[in-house]
Amino acid sequence: MNDQSHSGQRPAAWYENWTEVPDSPWQDRPAPDYEREYATLTYERDGRIARITFDRAEKGNTITPDTPVELAHAVERADLDPRVHVILVSGRGKGFCGGYDLDMFAEKGFDTGSGPDEVTGTVLDPVVNAANHNPWGTWDPMIDYAMMSRFNRGFASLMQANKPTVAKLHGFAVAGGTDIALYCDQIICADDTKIGYPPTRAWGIPAAGMWAHRLGDQRAKRLLFTGDCISGQQAQEWGLAIESCPAEELDARTEALVERIARMPVNQLMMAKLALNSALYSQGVANSGMISTVFDGISRHTREGYAFQMRAATAGFREAVRERDEPFGDHKRAQFDRDAPQ
């Protein structure tokens, strides 16, 4: 029997969105009402593309306690929307993300300056965590782990989402900013992007634990043993980024990539991602994150970690960073010397 309503009667019907087919379960259903004001980012659905954009340009899009909660909410929002095929994460201003807001965390002792809210009196309470970072007090590693693992869970939503996630990097993606970027399925970046985790020199281990999974053992150790950064071009050469291009071409090249992904059927994208993510989970991604989060806490409570924290509190974070990086000869430099041993 010839069924004229069958999708096989329409040219390339397999490229229609879930909501567009005649027998769609979403037929006549309105788009979800998710209107929400975020403190650290913006969300927009542009056809089949969900755009999550970090929006603290004046602070280098640095991470605050709001960031992981809002990122997870926005990712879930896109993941549940049948109209979305791909999620693009980027940053406004001069860079993608400059890591944790250490003006707050290191220099100001976790003081957010805000009043009581849903985290007050919990393990996320900034006052509690300031007390737990007191160099003269007793450090409880599980209070620290409870806090940092929540940041990690928010960032990991990018990998755990059913739909593909793409990070567009420009300017800088350093320290905690790499925890976010490395959880994405694809990274595209400008050639001159600064990428790395300098806090391994003092006061930090990448809590996400994704470097070895993305770069392999040798190259991950090359960066974390020195705290060196690489450029976007070298990230592409090393396989960390899928593509690198001149900064002025980044927007167009990114749009070409996400539009190409967005043409694919949602269910095909989901199956491909879930199948490929199974290899990452077999490699022990969850275990890497747990161990790295514990060691990140330890690194902030060593003699060296306390020295960096106290120096940031007394001389200012920028001066502490200058003193940390100048012996390596790369203070404010975009990458390590390409002629040096690698």
Side-chain angles (χ1 to χ4, degrees):
M1 185 173 65
N2 186 16
D3 184 355
Q4 295 298 319
S5 68
H6 193 283
S7 58
Q9 300 294 327
R10 300 189 303 280
W14 47 87
Y15 289 131
E16 296 170 343
N17 176 261
W18 271 343
T19 64
E20 297 168 349
V21 296
D23 58 349
S24 168
W26 288 277
Q27 194 172 33
D28 301 324
R29 298 302 300 155
D33 181 10
Y34 269 139
E35 288 306 314
R36 173 170 172 169
E37 290 292 325
Y38 297 104
T40 66
L41 54 85
T42 61
Y43 178 93
E44 174 191 10
R45 182 177 69 83
D46 178 13
R48 296 182 172 191
I49 302 165
R51 301 177 186 275
I52 299 173
T53 310
F54 294 123
D55 196 28
R56 300 181 72 239
E58 74 287 355
K59 294 287 189 178
N61 297 318
T62 47
I63 297 164
T64 75
D66 291 323
T67 306
V69 177
E70 294 184 342
L71 178 62
H73 184 277
V75 169
E76 180 74 347
R77 183 173 170 178
D79 216 25
L80 292 176
D81 189 337
R83 300 155 186 83
V84 171
H85 290 228
V86 59
I87 302 166
L88 176 63
V89 184
S90 61
R92 288 194 172 88
K94 295 182 178 180
F96 174 75
C97 177
Y100 284 83
D101 187 346
L102 293 186
D103 285 339
M104 176 195 301
F105 288 105
E107 187 173 326
K108 297 179 182 177
F110 290 78
D111 180 13
T112 64
S114 60
D117 54 25
E118 67 271 16
V119 304
T120 304
T122 73
V123 292
L124 300 179
D125 191 324
V127 175
V128 172
N129 284 287
N132 202 39
H133 279 74
N134 181 356
W136 294 279
T138 300
W139 175 57
D140 188 321
M142 289 299 98
I143 293 177
D144 196 288
Y145 180 81
M147 172 192 67
M148 285 304 301
S149 63
R150 263 58 183 194
F151 279 88
N152 242 8
R153 290 181 194 180
F155 304 154
S157 65
L158 291 161
M159 184 181 74
Q160 294 163 356
N162 294 324
K163 297 173 183 176
T165 55
V166 177
K168 178 174 74 171
L169 309 186
H170 77 288
F172 44 81
V174 294
T178 63
D179 286 342
I180 297 172
L182 269 61
Y183 271 129
C184 287
D185 301 308
Q186 302 270 270
I187 292 174
I188 182 170
C189 55
D191 290 339
D192 60 356
T193 309
K194 178 180 178 180
I195 304 171
Y197 207 95
T200 58
R201 294 172 178 173
W203 220 61
I205 295 295
M210 291 297 294
W211 283 98
H213 297 286
R214 295 304 192 200
L215 274 181
D217 175 70
Q218 288 279 326
R219 284 175 169 167
K221 287 176 178 174
R222 168 63 182 87
L223 293 181
L224 299 188
F225 284 175
T226 61
D228 288 338
C229 290
I230 56 176
S231 68
Q233 182 180 356
Q234 191 160 9
Q236 188 271 328
E237 293 168 359
W238 279 19
L240 181 65
I242 197 66
E243 190 174 344
S244 176
C245 61
E248 62 271 17
E249 298 177 14
L250 181 61
D251 288 344
R253 296 277 281 272
T254 302
E255 290 306 305
L257 173 62
V258 294
E259 287 172 8
R260 197 169 183 84
I261 295 172
R263 291 191 188 106
M264 296 277 286
V266 179
N267 49 21
Q268 290 291 129
L269 290 169
M270 290 172 62
M271 287 185 280
K273 176 167 178 174
L274 291 169
L276 293 170
N277 269 6
S278 67
L280 283 174
Y281 290 122
S282 295
Q283 292 172 10
V285 164
N287 197 48
S288 297
M290 180 184 68
I291 292 170
S292 297
T293 301
V294 169
F295 279 118
D296 180 54
I298 293 172
S299 72
R300 286 179 273 108
H301 295 85
T302 61
R303 183 184 65 83
E304 295 82 0
Y306 280 137
F308 180 82
Q309 178 186 342
M310 289 296 294
R311 187 63 176 158
T314 56
F317 170 65
R318 297 182 190 282
E319 174 61 18
V321 168
R322 185 192 67 78
E323 294 173 5
R324 182 195 70 190
D325 292 345
E326 278 200 339
F328 291 86
D330 60 4
H331 180 51
K332 292 188 177 181
R333 282 174 52 191
Q335 65 183 105
F336 58 77
D337 187 352
R338 294 176 66 89
D339 296 326
Q342 298 176 23

